[in-house]
């Protein structure tokens, strides 16, 4: 049961820290609306067109997609009626310009972030996770070849769809994504810490254990 009023939350951490995995737990447990900019951009690529082609180039190289494209999609999504009770942002903001835009958009609505959940996760862990990640082509569910395997190799447990490897989950692109994170996103840790918004969790924990830690933290801080 969430507290009254919009509950807005950011999931922050390096690629492969488990943000998407925990977002699924949190959405189920608290009914939070999960907004993943990575998923939105992958959908834009599928939809094609000029924007899709441009987005594809950046994503496949592991570079950040230009702020104007990402921010427009996030602001539009946050303006929909189902976002009025709060959102869980996964993959946004990713640099200081996006963080500033988010602050402004929320304050225009008389809202502010309840918290920023930072997944502190060692580099060797994220490399192991990303290189073994598999995603269902049909429903998008995430797996890992050893950490979270599907019952039948290559087949989604939920919908029977084919499990594939994301184009940006090859070792060279993973390393670039980590550099891009260090150069652009890591500064947001101190930005939100200074604002008293940061809650740090151990992203290296097994998924179920990490969710229990987050749930306990939210309860202790009176967020839920
Ligand atoms: P995006 O899709 O956001 O990718 P990411 O940030 O690189 O994050 P990931 O989805 O790779 O990792 P995750 O932390 O969600 O981990 P997951 O739970 O899947 O972005 C992709 C691209 O889009 C960017 O490179 C950029 O080009 C563009 N983009 C997106 N947002 C943008 C923005 N705001 N501005 C500009 N460009 C933007 O877990 C990973 C694996 O580990 C899985 O296999 C999972 O099964 C396993 N796993 C998860 N948790 C655990 C655990 N606790 N223990 C063991 N295994 C685990």
């Amino acid at each position: 049961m969430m507290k009254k009023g919009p509950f807005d939350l950011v999931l922050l951490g390096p690629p492969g820290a488990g943000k998407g995995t925990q977002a699924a737990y949190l959405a189920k447990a608290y009914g939070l609306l999960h907004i993943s900019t990575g998923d939105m951009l992958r959908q834009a690529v599928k939809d094609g067109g000029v924007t899709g082609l441009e987005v594809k180039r950046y994503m496949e190289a592991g570079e950040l997609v230009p702020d104007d494209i990402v921010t427009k999609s996030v602001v539009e999504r946050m303006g929909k009626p189902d976002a009025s009770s709060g959102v869980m942002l996964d993959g946004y903001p990713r640099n200081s310009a996006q963080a500033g835009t988010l602050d402004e958009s929320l304050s225009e609505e008389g809202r502010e972030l309840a918290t920023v959940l930072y997944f502190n996760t060692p580099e060797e862990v994220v490399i192991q996770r990303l290189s073994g990640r598999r995603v269902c082509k049909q429903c998008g569910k995430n797996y890992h070849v050893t950490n979270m395997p599907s019952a039948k190799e290559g087949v989604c447990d939920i919908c029977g769809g084919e499990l594939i490897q994301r184009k940006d989950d090859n070792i060279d692109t993973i390393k670039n994504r980590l550099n891009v994170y260090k150069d652009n996103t890591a500064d947001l840790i101190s930005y939100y810490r200074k604002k008293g918004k940061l809650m740090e969790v151990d992203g290296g924990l097994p998924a179920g254990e990490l969710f229990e830690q987050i749930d306990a933290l939210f309860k202790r801080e009176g967020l839920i």
Side-chain angles (χ1 to χ4, degrees):
M1 181 71 159
M2 308 302 307
K3 288 264 157 105
K4 267 194 174 168
F7 182 80
D8 297 304
L9 163 73
V10 164
L11 306 182
L12 179 67
K19 303 179 298 291
T21 301
Q22 292 304 315
Y25 280 90
L26 291 162
K28 196 169 170 203
Y30 312 134
L32 290 171
L33 177 70
H34 178 200
I35 298 182
S36 155
T37 43
D39 288 348
M40 286 165 74
L41 292 167
R42 277 182 285 279
Q43 187 57 48
V45 172
K46 265 193 198 160
D47 294 344
V50 182
T51 308
L53 273 177
E54 190 186 356
V55 167
K56 186 171 189 267
R57 226 166 12 98
Y58 288 100
M59 290 184 89
E60 288 188 358
E63 296 292 331
L64 293 185
V65 171
D67 288 344
D68 54 342
I69 298 179
V70 187
T71 295
K72 185 170 175 279
S73 316
V74 173
V75 170
E76 267 175 26
R77 184 65 190 89
M78 287 181 68
K80 298 210 167 143
D82 62 348
S84 61
S85 54
V87 295
M88 173 169 52
L89 292 168
D90 164 9
Y92 190 94
R94 246 175 161 98
N95 58 29
S96 47
Q98 293 181 8
T101 308
L102 178 62
D103 286 346
E104 279 166 29
S105 326
L106 288 171
S107 99
E108 276 167 19
E109 300 288 321
R111 287 157 69 159
E112 67 167 314
L113 285 175
T115 192
V116 174
L117 206 50
Y118 164 50
F119 294 66
N120 190 352
T121 321
E123 189 159 314
E124 62 278 13
V125 170
V126 304
I127 292 176
Q128 187 270 354
R129 287 184 184 170
L130 292 177
S131 48
R133 171 166 56 189
R134 297 293 181 270
V135 184
C136 176
K137 206 175 163 182
Q138 220 159 272
C139 73
K141 185 170 164 48
N142 256 327
Y143 294 88
H144 188 280
V145 286
T146 53
N147 305 355
M148 298 177 194
S150 57
K152 189 172 171 206
E153 198 186 324
V155 180
C156 178
D157 294 345
I158 308 293
C159 70
E162 183 194 354
L163 302 188
I164 54 163
Q165 186 162 30
R166 254 169 59 172
K167 285 232 169 76
D168 58 350
D169 278 347
N170 64 77
I171 194 68
D172 288 340
T173 313
I174 291 170
K175 287 192 175 152
N176 192 40
R177 286 159 66 197
L178 285 167
N179 287 333
V180 167
Y181 171 80
K182 282 179 207 153
D183 292 346
N184 296 274
T185 317
D187 282 352
L188 297 182
I189 300 165
S190 53
Y191 175 79
Y192 286 120
R193 188 176 278 129
K194 278 186 203 139
K195 283 175 168 273
K197 294 285 178 197
L198 203 79
M199 264 189 185
E200 186 168 326
V201 291
D202 179 357
L205 289 173
E209 227 174 281
L210 178 54
F211 174 68
E212 281 169 22
Q213 191 185 98
I214 295 170
D215 187 52
L217 253 181
F218 279 9
K219 284 179 179 143
R220 196 182 75 203
E221 298 297 323
L223 292 170
I224 53 163

